[in-house]
Structure formats: C-alpha cells, structure tokens
C-alpha cells in the first residue's frame, strides 16, 4: 500500500514565492512539461488524488485521468505544440479526474502556460466540483419535477408574461380549451376570455400586477369551438428576488361539472318541493273544500228556497228561472274549482319521461318516513333494482304513492294489526307494480265500493279526495289502482303502470 | 208580552258574508219562509248600515277577509248593540266557534247545514231578540213612568214595596191614612200597575236597572 501524504509530512519550506503558492493554494496545482510529464504536484493535489508527489513526478499526467481520456491527452498536447491552437489554455473546463483508488470525479480545470529557467511547461489548477455537480443535478431534477407537476397538473394552468401574453400552458389547459399549446403561445390571455367577462378579467389581472396578492373569481372563457367555459380563475404574480413581476400564473378550475351538479340538485329540490306541496295534501284539500263548499252550499240553499216557495206558491215562473240560473252558475263555479285543482296537480311543464318507479318511491319515502317512524311503525322497502321504465309524470306518480302511504299511516293509526308498512316494486308481465301494504284495520266490505268516490271519507278530518285524485292520475297513465285485504289483516293497494314502450320513451 | 208598536221596523235577518252567492242563497231561503233579510258583504258595510233600533238577528260568517266575524262581534258588543248573533262556521272552525260562544254569541251553525236547521235557529234568535227588545221597552217605559212620580209618591211606593200597610205608612209619614190611600191610587195609575204585586215586581226591576246604571 502506498502511504498517503499526511499533514505533518516534513517538507522543506518552499524557497521562493512560487513554492509558497504551491503549498498554500486550496486548489490542486500540477505542473507538467510540454510533453505532459508531471514536474510538480502540490500538497492539495496530493490530497485530491491520493498520490504523494514523489510517486507522480516523472509520470505522464494522463495517469490522473480516467482510462478512456488518457489516450486523447497526448494528442491534445501534440496538437497544441504543432498548431499553437488553444483549446483549453486560459479557458478552463469541466473534466473527469481519476483518484488513486480508481474512482473518477468531476473537476474544474484551468490551464496556463509558463516559462522558467527550467524550461517551458503548463500549469494546471484543479478544483473538485463533486459537490457542485451534485447540487446542479439536484436542481435539474427539481426543475424537471416542477415541469412534470406543471404539465400534468389536473387543473388548467397558463403562465403569461407581465403583459399578459401566454408563455406556457399545461396539458389540462389544452384539454379545457381544446387545442395544443402552440395555439396559446404569445396570445394575450384576455383574448381567451368570454366577451362579457373580458374587461373584468383583464382589469383583475392588471390590478393584480400593480397591487399584488392573488385573484380568485368566477370567469367565463371561450373554448376553441366557441363554447363558454365556466371557470373559477385563480391568479397570482411570479416575482424575481428583487420583486420585479416576471409572470402571471393563472389557474382555471372548470366549474362545468359543478354547475351541472348544482343544476341537477336544484332540479331535484324543485321536484321535492313540488312533491312536498302535494305532501300537505290535507291542507291543500281543506282549502279546496272551502272553495267547493261555497258554491255547493249556495246551490243547496237556492234549491231548498225554491222548493219551499213552490210549496206555498210564492214564486213566479220568472223568479224561479232566475234562481235556477243562479244554481247553474254556482255549479259551474264548482266545476272550475275542480278544474283548477287538476291544473294544480299538473306540473307547469307536464313532462312525460321514462321513470324508474323504485327511484320515485325512494324519493317519496323521504317525505313520510319520519311520520311513519314517529307513529311507531316500521317501514320496509322491497324495491327492485332493475325495473323496466314506465312512461309518465314523475310528480304525479309520486303523488299517488304518497297518498297511498298517507292512507296506510292513517289506517294504522286507527287500528294496528301489524306495525309494518311494506312498499314493494316489481316488474309484472307488461307492467310495473308498486304495492303499498299496511297493517291497518282493512277496508269494510260495504264501504269497499265507495272507496275512491270523491268526498267519500271515514275520517273525521278527511276530505275523501285523495284516492279520487289518485284514480284520475292513474287512468291518465293507462294504469290501474286496486286494493285487497292482505295476510296481515290490513290493506294492500296495488298500483300498476304499463312499461314504457320503445316508441313512448323516445317521443 | 207587549205588542210591538206598529211603527217599529219589522224583524230582519242581517246576513254578513263575503261570499255573495252564499249570502244571497241564504237570504232567498229565509225569504221563502217570510223572513225579511238584508245582506252585507263585509263587517264594515254592516257597521255602516245598521241602526241599533232595528230588531232582528245577525248571521255572521266567522271567516272573512279584513274584519273577521269575531272582530265584528267584539265591535258590536263594545257599541252596546244588542242583536243575537248566529255564527256560520266552516270545516275545522270549531275552535273559532267556541271562542265566539264564549264571547256571547247566541248560536252557531256549522257548514254544511240543512235548511230546516237554519230556519229553526234563525226563528229562535228572532224570538229571543223580540223578547229582549220587549223587555227593554217595558223597562224603559217603567222608568219613564217612575219618573212622573212625585217625591212623596216615591217614598210611599218604596214603603209599599217593603210590605208596609197603609196605616203604618200614614203613621210613619205623619199623614192621614186617606192621604196615603190617595197617593197609592195615584202611584198605581201612573205606573199602570194592575195590582200591588205587579207594582212590587216593577219596583224590583226599577231598582235593578237603576243600580245597574250606576255602575
Ligand atoms: N289503507 C287503507 N286502509 C283502510 N281504509 C282506507 C285505506 N285507504 C283508504 N281508505 C278508506 O278510503 C277513504 C278515502 O280515502 P281518501 O280518498 O284518500 O280520502 P281521505 O284520506 O281524505 O279519507 C278513507 O277515508 C278510508 O276510509
Ligand atoms: Mg287520503
């Protein structure tokens, strides 16, 4: 093993300045002849390469290079001797060096030419740049990672210069706008904005540059096909170390899906509110009963009055005619109330669509589940998952189901033979069946025929309109509504609606 | 019971209902049995058009826009008008009907009502009103008659009311028995009393009325 030079190695003090320099320099210094033979090897060179000076003096300097470089070095020297063409002298470059232990490492090499009484030669000053190289590599890697983050970010990014001209966009941005990055470059970002939002957006970015901070606002853009893109725009300024604005960073979140979802939620809410309105059928019907009660009691009074007057001969033909006319007018008025009621039940935009009865039932349940539980009853659902669609008006069908559920609850409050309400949906033949089975007292044989007649009710607060409304809805849907006694002693109402045909769903 | 003076207006059923058809048909029904009616379409119209000396009764819809039946009832009471009130209530208005009865309503009819029922209740209310008014008239004339008595006659009258005999009165007031007899005859004439018992009855009523008026 060759001993490595130690710091305490006795060595005569350098006789002149050059020697002192060689000894003190932090960088390694190697002197070679014009032919490349090492003549001096400084102390730090010893440290850097792991050779003692006496081991390298007289050797070709290429021993300090990785094997594949060695061969070239003699050639470089020869070339310089012959042509005088300086490839490295006074310039310096990064090259690889080889340690005594065989490891190679990066160095920065500066080469100078000298002449002394000993003759001509070159001086090489070498600095280990392993660390710097590693840092550089790390920076490069970070930059690469940042680039990847930027280009693969799941949100649209655009970077502009301080004037607002696009200098970079990411893939999500291209996707959002439907283009490639070249379509954007150098375009003022405001030209991508929706006409109506352009002024606003441009102003926001401008004031961002002036004032700093960040911007966050909904803003519309226009994609390549001219369609509006609803976004939430986030923007911030990228600044130098000295605070000079270098770029605007604009991130766009596509609000399209959110808006669509909100719209759907809104729609559902409207429907539910509507169902809710029908849900308070009792109240509504009591209003209607009042409305109907007026003309009906007028009719009754007029009729009785005329009968009495006829009885005692105190009415003339003309007078009677007048009263009959009044009766007719009141009858018509009652008819109008009924028509109004029908219109009320119809949604403004009466829609016929393909409907999943299980889903409809699930929605309706939300409206009365609480009442049922509150009354101490259990609600059991047996809803078929893949029902064929029926064709109709969702709200109306839901209203029928709701009435059946309300009646079931009323019946069970009156008498409970079983505390379960069971709601079933099923495909049966060419129909879809919705069954509501209660554990109430069942329906009296004698009353059976009258059930569903308008104003037939056995309830103190009842109005007897629920089932007649149900029947008119069901018949408008070409379905049927029947009831029967069930095994638990209660009543089962069966609503059957025809499956949607190909033709009807595509109307 | 006293006969009504011929110049007094005859009994009328005042119908107050915002529902003109209902009011009109009820009016016709009542007219068919010879009852006079007057229809008002609102509480305000009634307050405007009714004279307190008009006998009859009020058929009042509890539910009306602006001033409700119950509010009109309060107003009538506070004006001191005495007119029997029959409330007409609809479906689910039972609590209102109860409140109306508590506040002194004569009766209430729940819709739908049948014609006999209505007529019967109305006739009953009219009788009650006639009775009330007759009593009131009587009381008023009694007071007037009482007002024509002299101080001495009143003194004698109250002593009679206490059950004193002529002799005792004469002694008490240092009058001759004959003078007392003359006073007594005068009192009976002025008060139009047919008997001593009738006079005593009148005096009881007068005392009640006077003390009620003092409150
Ligand atoms: N599930 C049921 N069990 C027993 N009776 C019922 C049931 N559903 C309806 N009925 C009877 O039918 C009548 C009419 O019902 P409906 O038309 O909904 O009016 P309402 O509920 O106002 O009475 C009820 O009063 C009741 O007597
Ligand atoms: Mg019902």
């Amino acid at each position: 093993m060759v001993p490595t030079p130690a710091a305490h190695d006795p060595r005569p003090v350098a006789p002149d300045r050059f020697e002192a320099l060689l000894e003190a320099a932090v960088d390694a210094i190697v002197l070679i002849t014009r032919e490349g033979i090492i003549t001096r090897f400084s102390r730090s060179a010893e440290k850097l390469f792991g050779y003692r000076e006496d081991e390298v003096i007289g050797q070709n300097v290429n021993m300090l290079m990785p094997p594949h470089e060695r061969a070239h070095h003699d050639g470089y020297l020869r070339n310089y001797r012959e042509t005088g063409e300086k490839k490295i002298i006074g310039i310096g470059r990064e090259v690889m060096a080889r340690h005594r232990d065989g490891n190679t490492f990066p160095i920065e090499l500066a080469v100078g030419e000298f002449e002394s009484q000993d003759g001509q030669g070159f001086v090489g000053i070498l600095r280990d740049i392993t660390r710097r190289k590693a840092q550089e590599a790390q920076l490069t890697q970070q930059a690469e990672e940042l680039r990847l983050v930027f280009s693969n970010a799941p949100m649209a990014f655009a970077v502009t210069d301080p004037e607002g001209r696009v200098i970079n966009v990411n893939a999500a941005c291209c996707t959002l706008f439907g283009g490639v990055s070249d379509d954007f470059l150098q375009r003022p970002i405001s030209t991508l904005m929706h006409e109506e939002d352009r002024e606003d957006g441009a102003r926001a970015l401008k004031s961002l540059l002036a004032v700093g901070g960040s911007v966050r606002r909904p803003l519309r853009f226009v994609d390549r096909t001219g369609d509006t893109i609803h976004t939430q725009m986030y923007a911030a300024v990228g600044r130098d170390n000295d605070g000079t604005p270098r770029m605007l960073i604009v991130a766009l979140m596509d609000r399209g899906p959110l808006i669509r979802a909100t719209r759907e939620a809104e729609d559902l809410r409207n429907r539910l509110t509507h169902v809710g309105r029908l849900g308070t059928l009792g109240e509504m019907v009591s209003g209607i009963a009042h409305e109907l009660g007026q003309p009906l009691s007028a009719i009754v009074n007029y009729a009785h009055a005329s009968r009495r007057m006829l009885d005692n001969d105190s009415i003339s033909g003309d007078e009677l005619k007048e009263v009959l006319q009044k009766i007719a007018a009141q009858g018509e008025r009652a008819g109008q109330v009924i028509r109004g009621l029908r219109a009320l039940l119809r949604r403004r935009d009466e829609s016929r669509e393909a409907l999943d009865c299980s889903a409809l039932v699930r929605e309706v349940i939300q409206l009365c589940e609480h009442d049922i539980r509150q009354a101490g009853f259990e609600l059991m659902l047996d809803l078929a998952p893949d029902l064929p669609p029926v064709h109709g008006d969702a709200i109306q069908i839901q209203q029928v189901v709701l009435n059946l559920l309300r009646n079931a609850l009323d019946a069970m409050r009156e008498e409970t033979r079983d505390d379960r309400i069971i709601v079933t949906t099923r495909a049966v033949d060419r129909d879809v069946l919705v069954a509501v089975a209660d554990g109430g007292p069942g329906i009296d044989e004698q009353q059976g025929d009258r059930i569903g007649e308008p104003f037939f009710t056995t309830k103190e607060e009842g109005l007897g309109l629920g089932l007649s409304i149900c029947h008119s809805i069901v018949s408008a849907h070409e379905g049927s509504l029947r009831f029967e006694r069930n095994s638990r002693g209660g009543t089962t109402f069966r609503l059957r609606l025809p499956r949607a045909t190909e033709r009807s769903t595509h109307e | 019971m006293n006969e009504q003076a011929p110049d007094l207006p005859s009994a009328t059923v005042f119908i107050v209902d915002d529902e003109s058809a209902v009011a009109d048909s009820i009016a016709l029904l009542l007219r068919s049995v010879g009852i006079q009616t007057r229809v008002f379409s609102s509480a305000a119209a009634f307050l405007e058009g009714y004279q307190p000396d008009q006998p009859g009764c009020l058929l009042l819809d509890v539910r009306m826009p602006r001033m409700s039946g119950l509010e009109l009832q309060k107003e009538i009471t506070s004006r001191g008008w005495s007119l029997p009130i029959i409330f007409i209530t609809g479906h689910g208005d039972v609590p209102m009907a109860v409140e109306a009865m508590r506040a002194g309503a004569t009766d209430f009819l729940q819709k739908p009502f049948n014609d006999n029922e209505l007529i019967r209740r109305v006739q009953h209310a009219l009788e009650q009103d006639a009775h009330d008014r007759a009593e009131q008239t009587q009381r008023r004339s009694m007071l007037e008659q009482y007002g024509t008595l002299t101080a001495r006659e009143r003194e004698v009258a109250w002593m009679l009311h206490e059950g004193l005999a002529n002799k005792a009165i004469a002694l008490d007031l240092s009058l001759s028995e004959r003078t007392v007899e003359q006073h007594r005859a005068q009192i009976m004439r002025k008060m139009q009393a047919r008997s001593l018992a009738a006079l005593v009855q009148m005096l009881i009523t007068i005392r009640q009325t006077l003390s009620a008026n003092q409150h």
Side-chain angles (χ1 to χ4, degrees):
Chain A
M1 270 268 132
V2 183
T4 47
H8 52 80
D9 187 19
R11 183 183 283 258
V13 174
D16 55 27
R17 276 205 203 133
F18 181 63
E19 288 300 319
L21 186 64
L22 276 187
E23 288 311 302
V26 177
D27 291 341
I29 298 175
V30 178
L31 266 51
I32 57 172
T33 63
R34 285 172 67 87
E35 285 73 35
I37 304 303
I38 300 172
T39 55
R40 283 307 306 272
F41 201 63
S42 74
R43 190 174 280 252
S44 26
E46 288 181 327
K47 258 195 220 152
L48 186 60
F49 287 96
Y51 293 107
R52 282 201 319 271
E53 187 173 28
D54 59 339
E55 288 175 308
V56 296
I57 300 260
Q59 305 262 23
N60 189 323
V61 74
N62 67 14
M63 71 173 291
L64 300 177
M65 298 170 191
H68 62 274
E69 301 269 332
R70 283 180 194 158
H72 306 298
H73 194 253
D74 289 345
Y76 297 151
L77 291 174
R78 194 179 319 115
N79 188 46
Y80 179 61
R81 283 198 302 271
E82 284 165 9
T83 65
E85 197 181 312
K86 293 180 181 165
K87 288 247 169 85
I88 185 170
I89 294 168
I91 299 167
R93 67 155 69 141
E94 287 171 12
V95 297
M96 293 304 286
R98 184 175 177 276
H99 192 269
R100 174 182 188 142
D101 63 15
N103 286 330
T104 58
F105 56 97
I107 56 167
E108 193 176 66
L109 172 65
V111 178
E113 213 176 353
F114 71 91
E115 261 186 79
S116 71
Q117 60 269 44
D118 304 337
Q120 287 179 321
F122 301 104
V123 57
I125 300 174
L126 301 71
R127 179 180 295 170
D128 183 1
I129 55 169
T130 309
R131 229 224 226 104
R132 200 184 84 198
K133 274 285 172 201
Q135 277 170 356
E136 274 174 16
Q138 204 184 338
L139 282 179
T140 317
Q141 195 191 332
Q142 276 173 4
E144 173 63 6
E145 276 169 11
L146 273 182
R147 193 189 63 77
L148 285 175
V149 168
F150 177 78
S151 58
N152 298 317
M155 189 166 170
F157 276 102
V159 179
T160 76
D161 62 19
E163 278 70 50
R165 277 185 300 265
V166 176
I167 49 182
N168 203 351
V169 293
N170 70 351
C173 188
C174 295
T175 313
L176 184 61
F177 282 87
V180 294
S181 69
D182 281 350
D183 299 336
F184 297 91
L185 297 186
Q186 291 308 316
R187 268 184 79 166
I189 192 162
S190 58
T191 62
L192 299 168
M193 293 173 187
H194 189 282
E195 208 174 20
E196 288 167 22
D197 287 2
R198 190 170 296 153
E199 205 179 307
D200 208 31
R203 196 180 321 116
L205 294 182
K206 197 175 257 170
S207 79
L208 179 63
L209 277 169
V211 186
S214 64
V215 162
R216 191 185 134 189
R217 66 168 59 201
L219 200 77
R220 284 169 299 172
F221 284 80
V222 177
D223 74 6
R224 227 160 69 130
T225 64
D227 284 349
T228 303
I229 314 172
H230 293 268
T231 76
Q232 175 78 351
M233 178 179 83
Y234 301 85
V237 187
R239 291 173 195 277
D240 277 350
N241 286 338
D242 61 0
T244 321
R246 280 279 306 279
M247 57 174 84
L248 274 172
I249 305 152
V250 178
L252 303 175
M253 191 191 73
D254 186 4
R255 288 174 62 226
L258 185 71
I259 288 173
R260 275 190 296 280
T262 313
R263 222 171 264 152
E264 271 162 30
E266 179 84 352
D267 202 44
L268 181 66
R269 213 182 44 137
N270 281 344
R271 284 155 143 238
L272 282 178
T273 322
H274 184 80
V275 175
R277 186 147 45 95
L278 298 174
T280 53
L281 190 68
E283 282 163 40
M284 181 183 82
V285 163
S286 115
I288 289 161
H290 182 76
E291 284 293 305
L292 274 179
Q294 306 292 2
L296 291 180
S297 63
I299 288 171
V300 171
N301 293 338
Y302 282 133
H304 281 307
S306 7
R307 181 185 44 83
R308 283 171 185 277
M309 290 166 129
L310 284 171
D311 278 351
N312 54 27
D313 262 347
S314 64
I315 192 166
S316 70
D318 281 352
E319 280 169 328
L320 183 60
K321 224 189 259 171
E322 199 184 311
V323 176
L324 287 175
Q325 240 149 30
K326 286 179 176 175
I327 290 179
Q330 292 303 308
E332 251 154 50
R333 189 178 141 204
Q336 258 161 26
V337 173
I338 301 271
R339 273 194 294 283
L341 166 68
R342 294 240 168 83
L344 194 75
L345 292 176
R346 226 175 289 130
R347 249 198 325 173
R348 249 172 299 129
D349 48 338
E350 185 183 3
S351 47
R352 289 273 156 136
E353 47 191 344
L355 302 168
D356 172 5
C357 284
S358 292
L360 294 184
V361 167
R362 230 172 266 121
E363 267 180 30
V364 167
I365 292 298
Q366 294 170 19
L367 298 170
C368 58
E369 198 173 19
H370 180 77
D371 289 347
I372 292 173
R373 298 261 146 79
Q374 193 84 351
F377 303 131
E378 207 180 321
L379 182 65
M380 295 180 65
L381 302 180
D382 179 11
L383 307 179
D386 296 310
L387 276 185
V390 301
H391 186 235
D393 182 310
I395 295 305
Q396 294 191 353
I397 292 173
Q398 286 182 322
Q399 203 222 329
V400 172
V401 177
L402 188 63
N403 284 345
L404 298 181
L405 283 164
R406 284 263 149 86
N407 280 349
L409 179 60
D410 287 345
M412 287 168 66
R413 278 197 173 120
E414 194 183 307
E415 188 189 327
T416 313
R417 295 187 174 173
D418 183 289
D419 62 4
R420 287 167 300 165
I421 295 179
I422 305 174
V423 185
T424 316
T425 59
R426 213 153 21 95
V428 177
D429 307 329
R430 306 211 49 73
D431 294 338
V432 170
L433 169 77
V434 179
V436 177
D438 64 50
I443 288 174
D444 202 312
E445 291 274 307
Q446 283 143 9
Q447 283 164 357
D449 293 343
R450 303 202 54 201
I451 301 287
E453 255 176 44
F455 302 109
F456 173 77
T457 182
T458 55
K459 300 170 195 168
E460 207 155 301
E461 293 286 297
L463 287 147
L465 280 175
L467 285 174
S468 74
I469 290 169
C470 290
H471 279 300
S472 62
I473 290 172
V474 171
S475 69
H477 284 79
E478 285 155 17
S480 66
L481 178 62
R482 304 222 167 79
F483 64 87
E484 67 200 20
R485 181 168 294 272
N486 62 37
S487 59
R488 296 179 290 145
T491 312
T492 300
F493 273 83
R494 294 174 179 277
L495 164 66
R496 285 175 82 133
L497 295 166
R499 291 180 189 202
T501 57
E502 273 299 307
R503 187 186 48 79
S504 62
T505 39
H506 293 295
E507 265 170 2
Chain B
M1 200 176 282
N2 272 13
E3 286 283 42
Q4 258 175 22
D7 58 334
L8 276 181
S10 58
T12 304
V13 176
F14 302 95
I15 304 168
V16 183
D17 196 326
D18 60 308
E19 262 298 324
S20 62
V22 173
D24 184 57
S25 67
I26 291 175
L28 190 71
L29 192 56
L30 294 175
R31 280 209 297 281
S32 76
V33 291
I35 298 172
Q36 188 172 311
T37 59
R38 237 182 111 183
V39 171
F40 298 91
S41 65
S42 71
F46 172 76
L47 289 173
E48 181 103 337
Y50 176 71
Q51 302 295 324
D53 58 357
Q54 292 175 293
C57 75
L58 190 57
L59 257 183
L60 191 50
D61 188 2
V62 259
R63 275 178 198 262
M64 280 187 298
R66 289 183 291 280
M67 191 187 269
S68 75
L70 289 180
E71 285 162 342
L72 177 57
Q73 179 185 27
K74 282 199 193 99
E75 183 61 31
I76 287 172
T77 313
S78 79
R79 291 189 185 196
W81 296 350
S82 83
L83 196 63
I85 300 176
I86 302 174
F87 276 100
I88 298 179
T89 66
H91 177 85
D93 288 337
V94 177
M96 274 199 216
V98 170
E99 196 186 323
M101 293 303 283
R102 275 208 198 105
T106 307
D107 206 348
F108 74 93
L109 266 173
Q110 193 163 7
K111 276 193 275 192
F113 44 80
N114 77 32
D115 54 333
N116 291 321
E117 187 88 351
L118 173 77
I119 291 163
R120 201 164 51 74
R121 306 278 189 104
V122 164
Q123 273 165 345
H124 182 79
L126 290 178
E127 272 162 27
Q128 193 190 318
D129 182 58
H131 177 77
D132 289 352
R133 275 171 205 277
E135 229 173 37
Q136 216 177 17
T137 318
Q138 215 174 6
R139 208 177 298 145
R140 206 177 298 128
S141 60
M142 260 184 324
L143 280 174
E144 273 164 18
Q145 288 154 2
Y146 180 74
T148 64
L149 299 185
T150 63
R152 178 46 49 92
E153 282 165 359
R154 287 185 198 179
E155 223 168 356
V156 174
W158 287 114
M159 291 172 101
L160 286 171
H161 166 259
E162 273 157 38
L164 295 183
N166 288 359
K167 211 180 219 160
I169 297 172
L171 215 65
D172 241 19
L173 299 177
S174 314
L175 298 171
S176 70
E177 216 180 309
R178 175 157 175 87
T179 313
V180 171
E181 242 156 47
Q182 278 169 358
H183 280 314
R184 180 170 169 168
Q186 195 66 345
I187 291 166
M188 298 299 273
R189 194 186 55 79
K190 283 187 178 171
M191 293 300 287
Q192 295 179 11
R194 288 190 194 114
S195 66
L196 182 60
L199 178 70
V200 169
Q201 191 62 52
M202 284 181 191
L203 287 170
I204 292 173
T205 311
I206 287 166
R207 172 170 288 170
Q208 279 170 356
T209 314
L210 289 176
S211 72
N213 286 357
Q214 259 152 31
H215 282 293

